[in-house]
Amino acid sequence: MIHTYNYADTSNALKELQEMGFIYDYNIHHDEFLKNPHDFEIVHIFRYEGDSSADDESTVYGIRSKSNHDKKGIFVSGFSANSECESTRFLIGLTIKGRKGL
């Protein structure tokens, strides 16, 4: 089952994921899940909503390799229009563990 949380800030989400072993940085190595999407699943979603504007919003994803459960990492995505990148758009289609129909 996927776990979704809301936090006061992104650093709390990153800290909690790191404590659970999600240490690989998929913002740097995003090409891995772009090339092999079938091998990855989102197992945690942490959302931060800023008080003042949508530019302050972000989502932190806990991503795990299906073939190597020890390979767990983090991807941070912003919500502002200028934060849109290929990897962020790709996450929309990445398997979310526990989603009905999968």
Side-chain angles (χ1 to χ4, degrees):
M1 172 177 267
I2 189 162
H3 304 281
T4 304
Y5 312 90
N6 288 305
Y7 280 91
D9 59 50
T10 303
S11 63
N12 287 333
L14 292 171
K15 180 181 175 189
E16 186 165 330
L17 278 172
Q18 288 171 344
E19 289 172 356
M20 292 187 286
F22 289 81
I23 57 173
Y24 197 72
D25 188 342
Y26 283 113
N27 283 85
I28 295 173
H29 303 287
H30 60 272
D31 57 318
E32 290 185 36
F33 64 78
L34 290 173
K35 291 178 183 174
N36 301 302
H38 59 279
D39 188 39
F40 295 92
E41 62 187 355
I42 298 169
V43 293
H44 295 280
I45 298 175
F46 294 80
R47 184 149 184 214
Y48 166 69
E49 295 182 15
D51 293 330
S52 59
S53 77
D55 289 343
D56 295 336
E57 296 181 16
S58 65
T59 301
V60 178
Y61 297 91
I63 300 173
R64 178 175 63 192
S65 168
K66 291 179 185 179
S67 63
N68 178 2
H69 288 320
D70 291 332
K71 187 171 190 178
K72 300 185 287 187
I74 297 168
F75 185 86
V76 180
S77 171
F79 278 104
S80 65
N82 61 1
S83 72
E84 192 75 14
C85 69
E86 181 181 8
S87 298
T88 303
R89 288 189 303 270
F90 180 79
L91 284 172
I92 294 167
L94 197 63
T95 299
I96 297 177
K97 183 178 174 151
R99 186 169 51 182
K100 289 185 177 190
L102 297 176

